[in-house]
Amino acid sequence: MVRQSVRSVKPRPMPSHVALSLRALASREASRRRRYVDLRTWVRHFGEHAALSINNLMRPIALPAFGGLASAVFLFSMVMTNFQGIIVSHPNDVSIAIATMPSVRATLLDMSEAEITVDVFVDEQGRVIDYSFPDGYGSANTASQRRKLENSLLFMEFNPATTFGMPTSGWVRVKFTGRSQIDVKG
């Protein structure tokens, strides 16, 4: 009797959204089964999924980032063209460095063929006050070499060291390397 009554019930029509949901579910399941067939297809699917995720993440950021970079380059180029007339070297410029070391202005006498390195103390007027031989650089071995060195230092003209543009005393390393070559390191 129950069977008879169940058979006699009229079937209700299936709603259209349920049919569509079942088809979508079946399609996803078929795609999932094709994806895991072997390792190669799984790796390809993983790469495609990662590329899509990165693309979806970068799309909202790309336009503002490019706009910011373009505007920064444009503004920087506009500002830098205005500075071209300001950055000019003038012959009477005073160095804005806080301190400079003494330097050799002129020399009159040459040393012998010996190579000698000397630390020289120069006063505010550019005169030699004292000298010493740095450790590890040797010294003038004979009295005649020392006399030639002293005469050479006596006749050398130095530019004095400066601090905030004012002349001051300071040490400079002078290396005599033969008849006509002098190296100065401050």
Side-chain angles (χ1 to χ4, degrees):
M1 193 165 246
V2 173
R3 277 188 206 151
Q4 285 296 350
S5 46
V6 169
R7 283 185 190 157
S8 68
V9 173
K10 226 171 156 188
R12 291 177 62 190
M14 186 185 313
S16 62
H17 73 280
V18 172
L20 189 59
S21 296
L22 288 174
R23 283 189 176 168
L25 184 65
S27 175
R28 277 195 299 263
E29 182 61 25
S31 173
R32 187 186 68 79
R33 286 187 181 188
R34 281 192 304 268
R35 182 173 46 222
Y36 294 117
V37 169
D38 60 353
L39 182 63
R40 184 180 307 160
T41 56
W42 182 82
V43 169
R44 188 178 75 229
H45 169 73
F46 182 74
E48 290 171 357
H49 183 69
L52 180 65
S53 297
I54 290 172
N55 188 18
N56 287 341
L57 284 175
M58 292 305 291
R59 195 167 283 181
I61 298 172
L63 184 61
F66 178 73
L69 179 66
S71 64
V73 167
F74 175 73
L75 291 174
F76 183 73
S77 65
M78 293 302 291
V79 168
M80 287 311 293
T81 57
N82 293 335
F83 285 128
Q84 287 179 353
I86 295 173
I87 306 172
V88 175
S89 169
H90 296 286
N92 295 331
D93 275 350
V94 175
S95 175
I96 60 171
I98 293 174
T100 60
M101 302 304 291
S103 60
V104 174
R105 186 182 315 158
T107 181
L108 297 176
L109 297 178
D110 289 330
M111 291 296 295
S112 65
E113 295 296 327
E115 183 174 305
I116 300 172
T117 302
V118 181
D119 285 340
V120 179
F121 187 72
V122 180
D123 70 354
E124 295 86 6
Q125 284 80 34
R127 295 179 298 208
V128 175
I129 300 298
D130 193 13
Y131 70 93
S132 66
F133 297 102
D135 293 335
Y137 285 95
S139 62
N141 295 336
T142 63
S144 65
Q145 278 184 336
R146 188 175 283 267
R147 197 172 3 197
K148 282 184 179 181
L149 172 67
E150 289 170 351
N151 287 335
S152 181
L153 290 176
L154 182 65
F155 288 105
M156 286 180 84
E157 294 179 25
F158 287 90
N159 294 321
T162 59
T163 303
F164 294 107
M166 300 300 295
T168 185
S169 57
W171 287 92
V172 66
R173 182 164 288 177
V174 179
K175 181 177 182 182
F176 297 94
T177 58
R179 297 197 69 70
S180 62
Q181 194 172 12
I182 297 174
D183 292 333
V184 179
K185 295 186 180 175

